[in-house]
Amino acid sequence: MKNLIISLGLVMSAYLFTGCEKSLDTYEGGNGIYFDPWYEEAEILNDTIDVHWGLKKSDITGQKLILNVKLFGNTAPVDRKFSIRVETDPEDENAAKDGVDYIMPPLEYVIAAGKAETPIEIEVLRRPGLKDSPRRFRISLVESDELKFHFSRAIGYKDVTGETVTRPIDLQRVIRIDESFPMPIWWDYRGQPYFGTWSQTKAALICDVMEIEREDWVDKAKLSAGYLKFCGAFMKRWLDEQNAKDPDNPILDEDGEPMKMGVESDR
């Protein structure tokens, strides 16, 4: 989980992947397993998968990730077993916890007869306080007699002495969980007049009240200027109504002050 600075072996990995696929029927070396270097139609350039809960509605508290384990070598007419480890570093202050940040998956799997891959399903949970304390854990493959580690891409990083060393990355996947909800690129020129100063708390509330999918909210062109203006005026009225119901407990923003919309929504 160290800072990664150099990506190595990409050309060689592309060559090995192509060779593996094209010569699957004639390969005579050992058989192995590795994590698919592609996830959700994008190539993973390190060993980390980010789960940004901020892009999900506030009432969504669980989601499932599918990690595909691929075969290196030949398919077989029988099932072949392997296992995984779910682990964290003992000194990691942000270590995820079973039952709080994820549901412990089964630890035993098979590459089924005639198949070249199998899925591992991981259920990730949304704990309170993720905004201030992201969490992470690691899924590691374990070799078996039939399925060993014959292939992985490699990356470089600086060790504690400052030396650059390499390590394989497709034998594990680090699941990193946070509450990140990025500011849309349109906020400064289209959002601030209607919504005021940016905050994740304000954006999350707007999306919840207006029933806007958060992925649509951060899209650079999904929401029109006219619709954003309508949202600002609606949220101004909504905040006024909610605060009038309980004036001693107004709806607060991240800075602890009562939440406000932009100047254009006050007109």
Side-chain angles (χ1 to χ4, degrees):
M1 302 179 186
K2 302 175 181 177
N3 292 329
L4 306 176
I5 63 166
I6 306 173
S7 180
L8 303 175
L10 296 181
V11 174
M12 179 61 72
S13 68
Y15 170 80
L16 288 174
F17 276 116
T18 304
C20 176
E21 294 292 336
K22 289 184 177 180
S23 61
L24 204 57
D25 293 335
T26 59
Y27 178 74
E28 296 180 356
N31 296 295
I33 49 174
Y34 61 95
F35 278 113
D36 191 342
W38 289 75
Y39 180 76
E40 293 187 342
E41 301 183 351
E43 185 177 10
I44 303 172
L45 298 180
N46 53 44
D47 58 5
T48 302
I49 293 175
D50 287 310
V51 178
H52 297 310
W53 277 113
L55 294 177
K56 299 294 184 184
K57 291 182 178 180
S58 300
D59 59 352
I60 297 176
T61 58
Q63 60 178 302
K64 293 182 179 179
L65 312 179
I66 303 296
L67 307 179
N68 283 317
V69 177
K70 308 276 282 187
L71 172 69
F72 181 83
N74 294 317
T75 58
V78 295
D79 293 347
R80 288 178 286 185
K81 298 179 180 180
F82 70 93
S83 61
I84 64 170
R85 292 193 303 268
V86 180
E87 53 195 354
T88 58
D89 294 333
E91 69 279 8
D92 188 359
E93 295 180 354
N94 293 323
K97 294 183 179 180
D98 177 23
V100 179
D101 301 293
Y102 64 91
I103 301 298
M104 181 65 71
L107 300 181
E108 302 293 328
Y109 296 87
V110 298
I111 298 289
K115 302 296 184 180
E117 64 180 63
T118 195
I120 294 176
E121 185 174 278
I122 309 294
E123 185 172 359
V124 183
L125 305 177
R126 188 180 202 170
R127 73 151 71 193
L130 271 179
K131 183 179 175 183
D132 300 317
S133 183
R135 299 288 163 171
R136 56 191 167 218
F137 65 102
R138 183 171 57 248
I139 309 293
S140 300
L141 297 175
V142 179
E143 289 182 300
S144 68
D145 291 338
E146 298 174 298
L147 298 170
K148 297 186 177 296
F149 296 155
H150 293 301
F151 172 78
S152 175
R153 297 171 301 162
I155 58 170
Y157 65 94
K158 286 187 181 295
D159 64 14
V160 293
T161 67
E163 293 293 321
T164 298
V165 294
T166 63
R167 65 177 176 83
I169 61 173
D170 292 321
L171 308 180
Q172 67 175 27
R173 287 289 177 260
V174 176
I175 312 300
R176 190 164 54 192
I177 312 168
D178 62 33
E179 197 69 39
S180 176
F181 190 4
M183 184 176 77
I185 62 172
W186 49 259
W187 183 274
D188 286 338
Y189 60 94
R190 285 202 295 166
Q192 188 161 353
Y194 307 123
F195 306 119
T197 303
W198 161 264
S199 76
Q200 286 191 198
T201 299
K202 181 183 294 184
L205 181 63
I206 294 170
C207 288
D208 287 349
V209 172
M210 303 303 299
E211 298 185 351
I212 300 171
E213 294 292 337
R214 296 189 184 188
E215 289 87 350
D216 293 343
W217 173 262
V218 299
D219 189 276
K220 62 182 180 180
K222 198 80 172 183
L223 306 178
S224 69
Y227 182 67
L228 294 175
K229 181 178 180 179
F230 165 76
C231 289
F234 186 96
M235 288 300 302
K236 169 65 168 59
R237 292 194 301 272
W238 187 88
L239 285 171
D240 288 345
E241 291 170 1
Q242 298 303 309
N243 292 334
K245 294 176 182 178
D246 190 0
D248 293 329
N249 294 288
I251 295 175
L252 304 180
D253 211 332
E254 287 179 11
D255 59 3
E257 296 296 321
M259 186 178 293
K260 297 179 180 179
M261 293 293 110
V263 293
E264 292 294 326
S265 297
D266 279 333
R267 297 180 178 179

mmCIF file of all heavy atoms in Angstrom, residues 171-205:
data_model
loop_
_atom_site.group_PDB
_atom_site.id
_atom_site.type_symbol
_atom_site.label_atom_id
_atom_site.label_comp_id
_atom_site.label_asym_id
_atom_site.label_seq_id
_atom_site.Cartn_x
_atom_site.Cartn_y
_atom_site.Cartn_z
ATOM 1 N N LEU A 171 -1.246 -10.438 -8.033
ATOM 2 C CA LEU A 171 -1.476 -11.527 -7.100
ATOM 3 C C LEU A 171 -2.274 -11.049 -5.887
ATOM 4 O O LEU A 171 -2.585 -11.826 -4.991
ATOM 5 C CB LEU A 171 -0.146 -12.138 -6.648
ATOM 6 C CG LEU A 171 0.791 -12.553 -7.789
ATOM 7 C CD1 LEU A 171 2.079 -13.138 -7.236
ATOM 8 C CD2 LEU A 171 0.110 -13.527 -8.743
ATOM 9 N N GLN A 172 -2.619 -9.765 -5.865
ATOM 10 C CA GLN A 172 -3.417 -9.212 -4.780
ATOM 11 C C GLN A 172 -4.216 -8.029 -5.310
ATOM 12 O O GLN A 172 -3.906 -7.447 -6.343
ATOM 13 C CB GLN A 172 -2.539 -8.744 -3.625
ATOM 14 C CG GLN A 172 -1.668 -7.542 -3.972
ATOM 15 C CD GLN A 172 -0.886 -7.023 -2.772
ATOM 16 O OE1 GLN A 172 -0.578 -7.780 -1.852
ATOM 17 N NE2 GLN A 172 -0.578 -5.745 -2.760
ATOM 18 N N ARG A 173 -5.275 -7.673 -4.568
ATOM 19 C CA ARG A 173 -6.041 -6.464 -4.837
ATOM 20 C C ARG A 173 -6.309 -5.770 -3.497
ATOM 21 O O ARG A 173 -6.860 -6.377 -2.578
ATOM 22 C CB ARG A 173 -7.375 -6.770 -5.545
ATOM 23 C CG ARG A 173 -7.211 -7.163 -7.000
ATOM 24 C CD ARG A 173 -6.790 -5.978 -7.848
ATOM 25 N NE ARG A 173 -6.557 -6.355 -9.251
ATOM 26 C CZ ARG A 173 -5.354 -6.562 -9.772
ATOM 27 N NH1 ARG A 173 -4.267 -6.463 -9.007
ATOM 28 N NH2 ARG A 173 -5.224 -6.862 -11.041
ATOM 29 N N VAL A 174 -5.903 -4.508 -3.421
ATOM 30 C CA VAL A 174 -6.180 -3.683 -2.252
ATOM 31 C C VAL A 174 -7.503 -2.959 -2.496
ATOM 32 O O VAL A 174 -7.667 -2.281 -3.513
ATOM 33 C CB VAL A 174 -5.050 -2.662 -2.004
ATOM 34 C CG1 VAL A 174 -5.409 -1.748 -0.833
ATOM 35 C CG2 VAL A 174 -3.731 -3.378 -1.748
ATOM 36 N N ILE A 175 -8.448 -3.122 -1.589
ATOM 37 C CA ILE A 175 -9.740 -2.441 -1.677
ATOM 38 C C ILE A 175 -9.670 -1.220 -0.768
ATOM 39 O O ILE A 175 -9.546 -1.351 0.456
ATOM 40 C CB ILE A 175 -10.905 -3.359 -1.249
ATOM 41 C CG1 ILE A 175 -10.809 -4.732 -1.944
ATOM 42 C CG2 ILE A 175 -12.237 -2.677 -1.531
ATOM 43 C CD1 ILE A 175 -10.845 -4.676 -3.446
ATOM 44 N N ARG A 176 -9.732 -0.042 -1.363
ATOM 45 C CA ARG A 176 -9.617 1.208 -0.612
ATOM 46 C C ARG A 176 -10.984 1.892 -0.593
ATOM 47 O O ARG A 176 -11.570 2.162 -1.639
ATOM 48 C CB ARG A 176 -8.563 2.101 -1.258
ATOM 49 C CG ARG A 176 -8.179 3.325 -0.454
ATOM 50 C CD ARG A 176 -6.885 3.934 -0.972
ATOM 51 N NE ARG A 176 -6.951 4.216 -2.398
ATOM 52 C CZ ARG A 176 -5.897 4.532 -3.146
ATOM 53 N NH1 ARG A 176 -4.696 4.560 -2.592
ATOM 54 N NH2 ARG A 176 -6.024 4.797 -4.428
ATOM 55 N N ILE A 177 -11.492 2.172 0.611
ATOM 56 C CA ILE A 177 -12.856 2.653 0.794
ATOM 57 C C ILE A 177 -12.832 4.061 1.382
ATOM 58 O O ILE A 177 -12.179 4.298 2.409
ATOM 59 C CB ILE A 177 -13.641 1.723 1.744
ATOM 60 C CG1 ILE A 177 -13.461 0.255 1.346
ATOM 61 C CG2 ILE A 177 -15.110 2.085 1.779
ATOM 62 C CD1 ILE A 177 -13.949 -0.721 2.395
ATOM 63 N N ASP A 178 -13.541 4.991 0.746
ATOM 64 C CA ASP A 178 -13.637 6.338 1.308
ATOM 65 C C ASP A 178 -15.001 6.942 0.981
ATOM 66 O O ASP A 178 -15.842 6.310 0.355
ATOM 67 C CB ASP A 178 -12.495 7.226 0.807
ATOM 68 C CG ASP A 178 -12.504 7.424 -0.710
ATOM 69 O OD1 ASP A 178 -13.603 7.464 -1.320
ATOM 70 O OD2 ASP A 178 -11.418 7.539 -1.314
ATOM 71 N N GLU A 179 -15.206 8.158 1.432
ATOM 72 C CA GLU A 179 -16.473 8.858 1.209
ATOM 73 C C GLU A 179 -16.283 9.998 0.210
ATOM 74 O O GLU A 179 -17.004 10.991 0.216
ATOM 75 C CB GLU A 179 -17.008 9.402 2.541
ATOM 76 C CG GLU A 179 -18.467 9.792 2.550
ATOM 77 C CD GLU A 179 -19.432 8.632 2.436
ATOM 78 O OE1 GLU A 179 -19.170 7.576 3.047
ATOM 79 O OE2 GLU A 179 -20.452 8.772 1.738
ATOM 80 N N SER A 180 -15.301 9.850 -0.660
ATOM 81 C CA SER A 180 -14.962 10.908 -1.610
ATOM 82 C C SER A 180 -16.147 11.263 -2.509
ATOM 83 O O SER A 180 -16.801 10.392 -3.079
ATOM 84 C CB SER A 180 -13.776 10.463 -2.471
ATOM 85 O OG SER A 180 -13.477 11.426 -3.455
ATOM 86 N N PHE A 181 -16.406 12.545 -2.611
ATOM 87 C CA PHE A 181 -17.462 13.075 -3.471
ATOM 88 C C PHE A 181 -16.877 14.334 -4.118
ATOM 89 O O PHE A 181 -17.003 15.433 -3.580
ATOM 90 C CB PHE A 181 -18.709 13.392 -2.648
ATOM 91 C CG PHE A 181 -19.936 13.724 -3.476
ATOM 92 C CD1 PHE A 181 -19.939 13.651 -4.852
ATOM 93 C CD2 PHE A 181 -21.107 14.111 -2.848
ATOM 94 C CE1 PHE A 181 -21.068 13.959 -5.594
ATOM 95 C CE2 PHE A 181 -22.252 14.418 -3.572
ATOM 96 C CZ PHE A 181 -22.224 14.344 -4.951
ATOM 97 N N PRO A 182 -16.236 14.215 -5.270
ATOM 98 C CA PRO A 182 -15.482 15.344 -5.839
ATOM 99 C C PRO A 182 -16.372 16.484 -6.294
ATOM 100 O O PRO A 182 -17.527 16.291 -6.674
ATOM 101 C CB PRO A 182 -14.756 14.697 -7.026
ATOM 102 C CG PRO A 182 -15.615 13.532 -7.407
ATOM 103 C CD PRO A 182 -16.168 13.010 -6.110
ATOM 104 N N MET A 183 -15.824 17.681 -6.257
ATOM 105 C CA MET A 183 -16.533 18.851 -6.747
ATOM 106 C C MET A 183 -16.608 18.786 -8.272
ATOM 107 O O MET A 183 -15.597 18.592 -8.934
ATOM 108 C CB MET A 183 -15.818 20.132 -6.322
ATOM 109 C CG MET A 183 -16.542 21.400 -6.712
ATOM 110 S SD MET A 183 -15.724 22.905 -6.088
ATOM 111 C CE MET A 183 -14.349 23.027 -7.250
ATOM 112 N N PRO A 184 -17.804 18.932 -8.858
ATOM 113 C CA PRO A 184 -17.911 18.897 -10.328
ATOM 114 C C PRO A 184 -17.101 20.036 -10.958
ATOM 115 O O PRO A 184 -16.954 21.111 -10.354
ATOM 116 C CB PRO A 184 -19.417 19.093 -10.571
ATOM 117 C CG PRO A 184 -20.082 18.764 -9.271
ATOM 118 C CD PRO A 184 -19.104 19.128 -8.202
ATOM 119 N N ILE A 185 -16.594 19.799 -12.156
ATOM 120 C CA ILE A 185 -15.786 20.829 -12.803
ATOM 121 C C ILE A 185 -16.620 22.046 -13.165
ATOM 122 O O ILE A 185 -16.087 23.132 -13.401
ATOM 123 C CB ILE A 185 -15.075 20.277 -14.062
ATOM 124 C CG1 ILE A 185 -16.104 19.824 -15.106
ATOM 125 C CG2 ILE A 185 -14.159 19.138 -13.701
ATOM 126 C CD1 ILE A 185 -15.474 19.444 -16.431
ATOM 127 N N TRP A 186 -17.964 21.900 -13.212
ATOM 128 C CA TRP A 186 -18.827 23.026 -13.559
ATOM 129 C C TRP A 186 -19.186 23.904 -12.364
ATOM 130 O O TRP A 186 -19.839 24.937 -12.517
ATOM 131 C CB TRP A 186 -20.125 22.525 -14.215
ATOM 132 C CG TRP A 186 -20.843 21.416 -13.491
ATOM 133 C CD1 TRP A 186 -20.817 20.084 -13.812
ATOM 134 C CD2 TRP A 186 -21.694 21.527 -12.339
ATOM 135 N NE1 TRP A 186 -21.597 19.368 -12.933
ATOM 136 C CE2 TRP A 186 -22.150 20.234 -12.018
ATOM 137 C CE3 TRP A 186 -22.123 22.595 -11.548
ATOM 138 C CZ2 TRP A 186 -23.003 19.969 -10.954
ATOM 139 C CZ3 TRP A 186 -22.972 22.343 -10.467
ATOM 140 C CH2 TRP A 186 -23.390 21.046 -10.185
ATOM 141 N N TRP A 187 -18.773 23.518 -11.153
ATOM 142 C CA TRP A 187 -19.262 24.211 -9.961
ATOM 143 C C TRP A 187 -18.907 25.699 -9.956
ATOM 144 O O TRP A 187 -19.757 26.551 -9.686
ATOM 145 C CB TRP A 187 -18.707 23.548 -8.706
ATOM 146 C CG TRP A 187 -19.235 24.172 -7.452
ATOM 147 C CD1 TRP A 187 -18.745 25.273 -6.786
ATOM 148 C CD2 TRP A 187 -20.406 23.772 -6.736
ATOM 149 N NE1 TRP A 187 -19.507 25.565 -5.695
ATOM 150 C CE2 TRP A 187 -20.542 24.655 -5.644
ATOM 151 C CE3 TRP A 187 -21.331 22.746 -6.906
ATOM 152 C CZ2 TRP A 187 -21.578 24.547 -4.726
ATOM 153 C CZ3 TRP A 187 -22.360 22.624 -5.986
ATOM 154 C CH2 TRP A 187 -22.479 23.518 -4.916
ATOM 155 N N ASP A 188 -17.663 26.056 -10.238
ATOM 156 C CA ASP A 188 -17.222 27.434 -10.101
ATOM 157 C C ASP A 188 -18.022 28.402 -10.960
ATOM 158 O O ASP A 188 -18.320 29.523 -10.541
ATOM 159 C CB ASP A 188 -15.733 27.557 -10.438
ATOM 160 C CG ASP A 188 -14.850 26.991 -9.338
ATOM 161 O OD1 ASP A 188 -15.325 26.898 -8.188
ATOM 162 O OD2 ASP A 188 -13.699 26.625 -9.623
ATOM 163 N N TYR A 189 -18.383 27.988 -12.173
ATOM 164 C CA TYR A 189 -19.053 28.927 -13.064
ATOM 165 C C TYR A 189 -20.555 28.676 -13.206
ATOM 166 O O TYR A 189 -21.300 29.570 -13.596
ATOM 167 C CB TYR A 189 -18.401 28.921 -14.454
ATOM 168 C CG TYR A 189 -18.421 27.601 -15.174
ATOM 169 C CD1 TYR A 189 -19.440 27.281 -16.076
ATOM 170 C CD2 TYR A 189 -17.423 26.652 -14.971
ATOM 171 C CE1 TYR A 189 -19.464 26.070 -16.738
ATOM 172 C CE2 TYR A 189 -17.440 25.439 -15.630
ATOM 173 C CZ TYR A 189 -18.457 25.153 -16.512
ATOM 174 O OH TYR A 189 -18.478 23.936 -17.168
ATOM 175 N N ARG A 190 -21.049 27.472 -12.856
ATOM 176 C CA ARG A 190 -22.493 27.215 -12.955
ATOM 177 C C ARG A 190 -23.131 26.885 -11.621
ATOM 178 O O ARG A 190 -24.326 27.105 -11.432
ATOM 179 C CB ARG A 190 -22.771 26.064 -13.938
ATOM 180 C CG ARG A 190 -22.617 26.439 -15.395
ATOM 181 C CD ARG A 190 -23.393 25.490 -16.268
ATOM 182 N NE ARG A 190 -22.865 24.134 -16.205
ATOM 183 C CZ ARG A 190 -23.509 23.057 -16.649
ATOM 184 N NH1 ARG A 190 -24.722 23.184 -17.171
ATOM 185 N NH2 ARG A 190 -22.973 21.871 -16.562
ATOM 186 N N GLY A 191 -22.353 26.370 -10.686
ATOM 187 C CA GLY A 191 -22.917 25.938 -9.417
ATOM 188 C C GLY A 191 -22.909 26.990 -8.334
ATOM 189 O O GLY A 191 -23.906 27.162 -7.622
ATOM 190 N N GLN A 192 -21.805 27.693 -8.193
ATOM 191 C CA GLN A 192 -21.682 28.635 -7.085
ATOM 192 C C GLN A 192 -22.760 29.719 -7.076
ATOM 193 O O GLN A 192 -23.256 30.061 -5.995
ATOM 194 C CB GLN A 192 -20.285 29.273 -7.096
ATOM 195 C CG GLN A 192 -20.022 30.105 -5.858
ATOM 196 C CD GLN A 192 -18.549 30.349 -5.640
ATOM 197 O OE1 GLN A 192 -17.699 29.797 -6.327
ATOM 198 N NE2 GLN A 192 -18.232 31.192 -4.674
ATOM 199 N N PRO A 193 -23.172 30.286 -8.210
ATOM 200 C CA PRO A 193 -24.222 31.308 -8.149
ATOM 201 C C PRO A 193 -25.525 30.803 -7.525
ATOM 202 O O PRO A 193 -26.235 31.568 -6.866
ATOM 203 C CB PRO A 193 -24.424 31.693 -9.619
ATOM 204 C CG PRO A 193 -23.133 31.363 -10.280
ATOM 205 C CD PRO A 193 -22.652 30.129 -9.580
ATOM 206 N N TYR A 194 -25.840 29.514 -7.712
ATOM 207 C CA TYR A 194 -27.097 28.966 -7.214
ATOM 208 C C TYR A 194 -26.953 28.246 -5.876
ATOM 209 O O TYR A 194 -27.892 28.218 -5.074
ATOM 210 C CB TYR A 194 -27.690 28.004 -8.239
ATOM 211 C CG TYR A 194 -27.828 28.609 -9.611
ATOM 212 C CD1 TYR A 194 -27.230 28.029 -10.721
ATOM 213 C CD2 TYR A 194 -28.549 29.792 -9.805
ATOM 214 C CE1 TYR A 194 -27.357 28.594 -11.981
ATOM 215 C CE2 TYR A 194 -28.675 30.372 -11.060
ATOM 216 C CZ TYR A 194 -28.068 29.763 -12.143
ATOM 217 O OH TYR A 194 -28.179 30.337 -13.385
ATOM 218 N N PHE A 195 -25.771 27.663 -5.625
ATOM 219 C CA PHE A 195 -25.590 26.831 -4.436
ATOM 220 C C PHE A 195 -24.605 27.402 -3.418
ATOM 221 O O PHE A 195 -24.508 26.888 -2.308
ATOM 222 C CB PHE A 195 -25.131 25.429 -4.842
ATOM 223 C CG PHE A 195 -26.021 24.761 -5.841
ATOM 224 C CD1 PHE A 195 -25.542 24.376 -7.086
ATOM 225 C CD2 PHE A 195 -27.358 24.531 -5.563
ATOM 226 C CE1 PHE A 195 -26.362 23.763 -8.022
ATOM 227 C CE2 PHE A 195 -28.191 23.919 -6.478
ATOM 228 C CZ PHE A 195 -27.697 23.533 -7.723
ATOM 229 N N GLY A 196 -23.863 28.423 -3.788
ATOM 230 C CA GLY A 196 -22.908 29.011 -2.860
ATOM 231 C C GLY A 196 -21.618 28.216 -2.756
ATOM 232 O O GLY A 196 -21.218 27.510 -3.673
ATOM 233 N N THR A 197 -20.964 28.315 -1.602
ATOM 234 C CA THR A 197 -19.671 27.664 -1.383
ATOM 235 C C THR A 197 -19.807 26.143 -1.440
ATOM 236 O O THR A 197 -20.724 25.564 -0.853
ATOM 237 C CB THR A 197 -19.100 28.077 -0.010
ATOM 238 O OG1 THR A 197 -19.006 29.503 0.040
ATOM 239 C CG2 THR A 197 -17.722 27.471 0.206
ATOM 240 N N TRP A 198 -18.867 25.508 -2.144
ATOM 241 C CA TRP A 198 -18.892 24.051 -2.278
ATOM 242 C C TRP A 198 -18.639 23.356 -0.955
ATOM 243 O O TRP A 198 -17.780 23.767 -0.164
ATOM 244 C CB TRP A 198 -17.834 23.584 -3.274
ATOM 245 C CG TRP A 198 -17.497 22.130 -3.129
ATOM 246 C CD1 TRP A 198 -16.458 21.575 -2.433
ATOM 247 C CD2 TRP A 198 -18.247 21.023 -3.664
ATOM 248 N NE1 TRP A 198 -16.497 20.208 -2.507
ATOM 249 C CE2 TRP A 198 -17.590 19.835 -3.254
ATOM 250 C CE3 TRP A 198 -19.397 20.931 -4.445
ATOM 251 C CZ2 TRP A 198 -18.051 18.582 -3.604
ATOM 252 C CZ3 TRP A 198 -19.843 19.662 -4.795
ATOM 253 C CH2 TRP A 198 -19.187 18.511 -4.382
ATOM 254 N N SER A 199 -19.365 22.261 -0.712
ATOM 255 C CA SER A 199 -19.043 21.306 0.337
ATOM 256 C C SER A 199 -19.654 19.969 -0.042
ATOM 257 O O SER A 199 -20.690 19.916 -0.710
ATOM 258 C CB SER A 199 -19.561 21.752 1.713
ATOM 259 O OG SER A 199 -20.959 21.546 1.827
ATOM 260 N N GLN A 200 -19.013 18.895 0.384
ATOM 261 C CA GLN A 200 -19.558 17.566 0.118
ATOM 262 C C GLN A 200 -20.901 17.390 0.815
ATOM 263 O O GLN A 200 -21.815 16.766 0.279
ATOM 264 C CB GLN A 200 -18.583 16.483 0.603
ATOM 265 C CG GLN A 200 -17.362 16.308 -0.276
ATOM 266 C CD GLN A 200 -16.578 15.054 0.083
ATOM 267 O OE1 GLN A 200 -15.431 14.921 -0.270
ATOM 268 N NE2 GLN A 200 -17.197 14.122 0.771
ATOM 269 N N THR A 201 -21.012 17.921 2.018
ATOM 270 C CA THR A 201 -22.262 17.804 2.773
ATOM 271 C C THR A 201 -23.413 18.444 2.006
ATOM 272 O O THR A 201 -24.509 17.876 1.891
ATOM 273 C CB THR A 201 -22.110 18.466 4.148
ATOM 274 O OG1 THR A 201 -21.066 17.795 4.871
ATOM 275 C CG2 THR A 201 -23.408 18.395 4.932
ATOM 276 N N LYS A 202 -23.179 19.638 1.466
ATOM 277 C CA LYS A 202 -24.221 20.348 0.728
ATOM 278 C C LYS A 202 -24.574 19.593 -0.554
ATOM 279 O O LYS A 202 -25.758 19.418 -0.879
ATOM 280 C CB LYS A 202 -23.753 21.762 0.382
ATOM 281 C CG LYS A 202 -24.781 22.586 -0.373
ATOM 282 C CD LYS A 202 -24.213 23.953 -0.759
ATOM 283 C CE LYS A 202 -23.928 24.796 0.457
ATOM 284 N NZ LYS A 202 -23.467 26.163 0.085
ATOM 285 N N ALA A 203 -23.550 19.144 -1.280
ATOM 286 C CA ALA A 203 -23.808 18.434 -2.531
ATOM 287 C C ALA A 203 -24.588 17.155 -2.292
ATOM 288 O O ALA A 203 -25.509 16.813 -3.045
ATOM 289 C CB ALA A 203 -22.489 18.132 -3.238
ATOM 290 N N ALA A 204 -24.231 16.421 -1.224
ATOM 291 C CA ALA A 204 -24.937 15.177 -0.914
ATOM 292 C C ALA A 204 -26.395 15.451 -0.588
ATOM 293 O O ALA A 204 -27.295 14.716 -1.017
ATOM 294 C CB ALA A 204 -24.251 14.467 0.253
ATOM 295 N N LEU A 205 -26.651 16.523 0.172
ATOM 296 C CA LEU A 205 -28.032 16.858 0.532
ATOM 297 C C LEU A 205 -28.837 17.256 -0.702
ATOM 298 O O LEU A 205 -29.994 16.830 -0.864
ATOM 299 C CB LEU A 205 -28.046 17.990 1.552
ATOM 300 C CG LEU A 205 -29.436 18.428 2.031
ATOM 301 C CD1 LEU A 205 -30.138 17.287 2.754
ATOM 302 C CD2 LEU A 205 -29.347 19.660 2.924
#
